[in-house]
Amino acid sequence: MRSAGRALRYAAPALLAYAGVRALGLLVLAGWAAAEGESAHTLLSARWDSLWYARIAEDGYGYTARLPDGGTHPDLAFFPLLPALERALSALSALSAPDAGLAVSAVSSLSAAAALFAIGDRLHGRRAGVTLVVLWAALPVGIVQSMAYSESLFTALAAWAVYAVLTGRWVWAGTLAAFAGLTRPVGAAVVAAVWLAAAERFHRERRWEPRMAAGVLLAPLGWSGYVGWVGLRTGSPVGYLDVQGQWGNGFDGGLAFAAFIGEHLTGSVIGGVGLLAGVALVVWLYVLCVRQGQPPQLLAYAGTVVVLALCAKGYFGSKPRLLLPAFPLLLPVAVALARWRTAASAAVLTLAASGAAVYGAVWLHGSGPP
């Protein structure tokens, strides 16, 4: 066991590299926004989902947007941990709720980077850990990690929960999984990771440790607690599903997404081929994770995130963002790059970071939410 100071020094290269990639993305975004006469701060803190989180932080739940076509968007679709943190930080400081959201994301993204490094280092060594962190920072949708969105907070909680399972800290794993379940609907993926790892341990040793049992019981409390609360508030046991339905979301096994791809294949063929290529890439990366022999909890977590992202209906432009927490998909690439010569791997990672910085700026200047 390393002391906190030694652990921080050991992880410093990964954290510095992460901060550098994200700083590059923010600088490019700021320059692009200035050229377009827009505010980078507004793009990061006060558009799309960020507005909903801030409103909940300031006024609590109860707001419903009325759409021109007669539809409704209730704020109950958004899980409570991020707005709760925004509210608490605003109360303790001079920050507004949107700025508190940016602060939470900044701290959470660094915490997520530290967790990814810890996982990569434990499984494949320090260099693979650093490379995994840089790859996650340099994803095309990496700019979301710097927005007042819940992805960074969720990934930090999920990754540390997975690391806690890897190191046998079952109560921590269950507690972190519960908090992840209060952050995003995909918190179910963290529960799956904890439960599968516990089942595998039980199958191997034929006994339940009290701490492992506690972790298993704690893990679903956040997700099920919020979904249950929405059911009580709406007066329906399927109230949360009804709320998601009002937003046009839900799980249909990928039928709507398949139809969306089909429309592009018969219309904008290039767009349809690009979508198919993206799905194929995600599936191929998961296959590599299996062939790599990743621990069951990583496979369960990544697999559940992928299934929930690709097989849900709704706004299809958000799917890359929904896949952002699926960091185990990057581990095979990180291990491969870590074996390259330093100059070659650095060149690839620099190119990826530069491309992500430009893509993020273009993405946030688009008309739809990421």
Side-chain angles (χ1 to χ4, degrees), residues 60-365:
Y61 285 99
Y63 175 77
T64 298
R66 307 290 173 179
L67 306 180
D69 63 1
T72 57
H73 282 175
D75 59 7
L76 292 171
F78 295 89
F79 276 53
L81 186 56
L82 176 58
L85 292 174
E86 289 179 347
R87 187 183 186 94
L89 187 55
S90 295
L92 295 172
S93 68
L95 294 175
S96 64
D99 286 340
L102 290 179
V104 170
S105 286
V107 174
S108 298
S109 64
L110 281 171
S111 178
L116 266 61
F117 170 75
I119 292 171
D121 174 55
R122 181 176 182 84
L123 296 178
H124 299 285
R126 189 183 192 189
R127 187 165 177 174
V130 174
T131 306
L132 176 63
V133 168
V134 176
L135 284 172
W136 188 66
L139 285 171
V141 294
I143 190 65
V144 174
Q145 298 164 21
S146 301
M147 297 176 67
Y149 270 41
S150 60
E151 273 73 15
S152 289
L153 177 61
F154 174 79
T155 304
L157 293 166
W160 280 119
V162 169
Y163 181 75
V165 174
L166 284 172
T167 55
R169 296 175 172 88
W170 292 100
V171 175
W172 271 110
T175 302
L176 290 165
F179 279 111
L182 287 171
T183 308
R184 295 189 60 78
V186 74
V190 193
V191 179
V194 175
W195 282 4
L196 182 61
E200 190 270 340
R201 177 79 170 268
F202 176 76
H203 178 74
R204 187 174 67 251
E205 300 184 0
R206 296 296 179 183
R207 66 187 180 89
W208 280 99
E209 298 176 5
R211 287 182 174 274
M212 185 170 69
V216 167
L217 293 174
L218 284 168
L221 294 184
W223 187 90
S224 61
Y226 181 68
V227 170
W229 179 78
V230 172
L232 290 174
R233 180 147 178 155
T234 59
S236 169
V238 293
Y240 183 75
L241 296 179
D242 293 337
V243 167
Q244 287 292 332
Q246 291 171 0
W247 278 81
N249 297 326
F251 187 87
D252 66 352
L255 294 177
F257 188 39
F260 178 74
I261 295 174
E263 291 174 4
H264 279 73
L265 285 172
T266 56
S268 172
V269 178
I270 295 178
V273 171
L275 288 169
L276 281 177
V279 173
L281 175 62
V282 170
V283 173
W284 177 65
L285 287 173
Y286 189 76
V287 170
L288 289 181
C289 292
V290 175
R291 293 176 60 184
Q292 189 182 44
Q294 287 188 11
Q297 55 266 42
L298 263 71
L299 294 175
Y301 168 73
T304 306
V305 173
V306 168
V307 168
L308 291 178
L310 295 184
C311 296
K313 58 183 178 179
Y315 181 67
F316 300 116
S318 294
K319 290 198 180 292
R321 171 174 64 85
L322 298 180
L323 288 166
L324 187 66
F327 63 87
L329 297 181
L330 301 173
L331 198 49
V333 183
V335 172
L337 284 175
R339 293 171 180 159
W340 290 15
R341 292 185 176 181
T342 301
S345 60
V348 170
L349 294 173
T350 300
L351 182 62
S354 302
V358 174
Y359 183 82
V362 174
W363 200 37
L364 288 196
H365 281 84

